[in-house]
Amino acid sequence: IPGAGIGGVATAARLAKAGLQVTVLEKNDYSGGRCSLIHKDGFRFDQGPSFYLMPEIFEEMFEDLEERIQDWYKLIKCDPNYVLHYHDGEKVELSTDMTKMKLEIEKWEGKDGWARFLDFMNESHIHYEVSVKEVLHRNFPNIRSLLSLPYLLMAEKLHVFDKLYRRASNYFWTERMRRAFSFSSMYLGMSPYDSPATYNLLQYTELAQGIWYPVGGYHKVVESLERIATEKYGATFHYNSPVSSITQSADGKSATGVVLEKTGEFLEADLVVCNADLLWAYENLLPSTTYSKSLLKNPKLTCSSISFYWGLKSKVDELETHNIFLAEKYKESFDKIFDEYSLPEEPSFYVNVPTRVDPTAAPEGKETLVVLVPVGHLLESKPTLGHQSNGHAFASVSSQDWPKIIARARADVLRKLTQRFGDKLDLQGGDFGHLIETEVVNTPMTWRDNLNLYKGSILGLSHNILQVLCLRPRLIHDSIKKLYFVGASTHPGTGVPVVVCGAKLTSEQILRDLGMDIPWKLSGSPYESKVSKTEPLNQIKRPSTYWVEALLTTMLLPFLAALFVIRFVFKLDLASYFSKYEEPVKSGIKMH
């Protein structure tokens, strides 16, 4: 398995449990990829993800490995989920506490807004549950696997052809709340104006299940899986071991192993599971494949980010664990990122303060901040000759003047934080930057060069309608046997819990191909097996009037309403309208 990201490590643990001899090769001296940690001057930063969502997916994974999460790491719930800061100085708090949510919704949307919010939760609940069961736990190897009536009905249920922002507008009638319930598409690296409406499931899981944080950082999840894989099931991990190529048989039809970059050593294998970024792998590890050329021709990618990791001299109590600062020109800011591949004139950004729930992330009395500023991905996949800026090498590609873009992003973040909180902090006449004791910066070039992310795209292939399900790269290579994939750019998609589901699907595909038993429950929620359905009090029974009510609400009442409109709005006399067809119809029946 080249790559020790969350997908590679989870796959290693599963396959080792099934009895395979597994070797993981990682180019860096740490595991986790984007789920890794940065340590500097006593401060600890999550390099990438900081939202622990969809907790039942992780519970399912650990249960499949015959383990319990609570034996490996501690989770702390973030309350509120996060605070949204607007350009006009107002803020909105979103929370799992429905008492607080009711007050917040009605404050901006009025009394009727609460009913619309509940309707939104009902729809997003359907999106979530159907997606988990029918998408995240299923493989779609070809177009035939999708062309069936149940899946066509599923597409309608999931509103895959509608857009996230437009769908939010059905339920939230103020621009403020439409923004509050659409920005979450950025978790997928997409614009809410382009993202399928299905993905309002992300805010459903936040509101219904909460946002959590693993004490010690997100890497605790990866670290735990690695220990289970090695100590319990015998997998092997090798660090500082970059792979230069995935080798193929003489006829090019099967993967035979990998070649190590540093030594040129060939490691033979019965099969290879590539956890390196898929687009990067096709360009660098499989340069001769036809599929790589077609895939790389015009992929729709997610955005990149400029991430600032700041260790502060003192606490900033005005910030919660998760904070979102939204630009005044909301749509224009997304257009700048996704259409012009640059930084908006006024960027939106995210601020994570892990020390709010986990003080171990900073020295006592100090604060850890991670600031993520979304920006367009690189226009080139390979490093180009750049120049030095603040000790960092930056490549300038056509309109992408990265030293200038990065400096402007930093200045804008500091300006906004100073405007919002400056009067409450001791800045000694300076701006928010006065509090910064230590700093690390990740840029699109960092993501590309350090983590092999194609064009610095932080979440890989986008989730537009032409890059999901059977239209997304498959779990197994189209023409090379024994070569499998796991990670953000293959099915089922991007995001840590989604990749965890992908690791399960890939592992099951491999074991089926090898004719081996699958030693865990194939699909479904881990909660399902914990309640006995034979117990009379637990049996689920529809009320006797269920189908009558369903018929009335879905068919009869709409039909009667249509007749009312035709008769009394359009003044159409249905009896006389149809009478002119009566004789021809009767004649036709006699002739037949």
Side-chain angles (χ1 to χ4, degrees), residues 22-64:
V22 180
T23 301
V24 180
L25 304 166
E26 169 56 45
K27 67 164 284 193
N28 293 307
D29 59 1
Y30 55 84
S31 63
R34 283 158 281 193
C35 292
S36 57
L37 298 173
I38 296 174
H39 294 273
K40 187 177 182 185
D41 299 331
F43 295 91
R44 186 191 72 231
F45 309 95
D46 287 296
Q47 183 156 210
S50 56
F51 279 34
Y52 186 101
L53 299 174
M54 304 171 69
E56 77 275 19
I57 298 297
F58 296 95
E59 290 190 25
E60 178 184 20
M61 174 173 60
F62 277 80
E63 188 175 82
D64 286 348

Side-chain angles (χ1 to χ4, degrees), residues 324-342:
I324 312 290
F325 292 79
L326 296 177
E328 179 177 3
K329 295 180 179 179
Y330 188 64
K331 185 179 187 304
E332 291 83 348
S333 68
F334 292 110
D335 293 342
K336 193 76 173 180
I337 294 170
F338 295 99
D339 295 340
E340 300 181 35
Y341 307 107
S342 188

Side-chain angles (χ1 to χ4, degrees), residues 78-92:
C78 303
D79 187 27
N81 288 351
Y82 42 79
V83 177
L84 292 147
H85 296 271
Y86 295 81
H87 68 279
D88 59 2
E90 296 286 358
K91 65 180 183 178
V92 169

Side-chain angles (χ1 to χ4, degrees), residues 302-343:
T302 55
C303 67
S304 189
S305 81
I306 301 168
S307 297
F308 301 100
Y309 306 90
W310 290 336
L312 304 187
K313 302 173 185 176
S314 59
K315 295 286 186 181
V316 182
D317 295 327
E318 288 74 21
L319 288 167
E320 296 292 344
T321 308
H322 304 291
N323 311 266
I324 312 290
F325 292 79
L326 296 177
E328 179 177 3
K329 295 180 179 179
Y330 188 64
K331 185 179 187 304
E332 291 83 348
S333 68
F334 292 110
D335 293 342
K336 193 76 173 180
I337 294 170
F338 295 99
D339 295 340
E340 300 181 35
Y341 307 107
S342 188
L343 178 73

Side-chain angles (χ1 to χ4, degrees), residues 256-301:
T256 58
V258 300
V259 175
L260 298 182
E261 183 179 287
K262 290 183 178 179
T263 63
E265 181 184 359
F266 167 60
L267 300 182
E268 186 177 3
D270 296 309
L271 59 91
V272 176
V273 184
C274 182
N275 182 227
D277 179 69
L278 184 138
L279 294 170
W280 179 89
Y282 272 115
E283 186 176 69
N284 294 274
L285 304 183
L286 296 162
S288 63
T289 60
T290 304
Y291 182 42
S292 72
K293 294 176 183 177
S294 62
L295 182 68
L296 296 171
K297 189 174 181 180
N298 191 30
K300 185 70 174 176
L301 300 174

Side-chain angles (χ1 to χ4, degrees), residues 51 81-84 86 92 94 164-165 168 176-193 195 199 202-203 206 211 322-326 330 334 348-350 374:
F51 279 34
N81 288 351
Y82 42 79
V83 177
L84 292 147
Y86 295 81
V92 169
L94 299 186
L164 188 65
Y165 179 86
R176 190 179 303 279
M177 298 309 284
R178 286 172 179 174
R179 295 181 180 190
F181 285 89
S182 64
F183 83 90
S184 60
S185 64
M186 290 303 290
Y187 301 170
L188 300 172
M190 297 178 67
S191 165
Y193 297 91
S195 173
Y199 297 115
L202 292 166
Q203 285 187 298
E206 293 173 351
I211 296 174
H322 304 291
N323 311 266
I324 312 290
F325 292 79
L326 296 177
Y330 188 64
F334 292 110
S348 299
F349 59 92
Y350 160 68

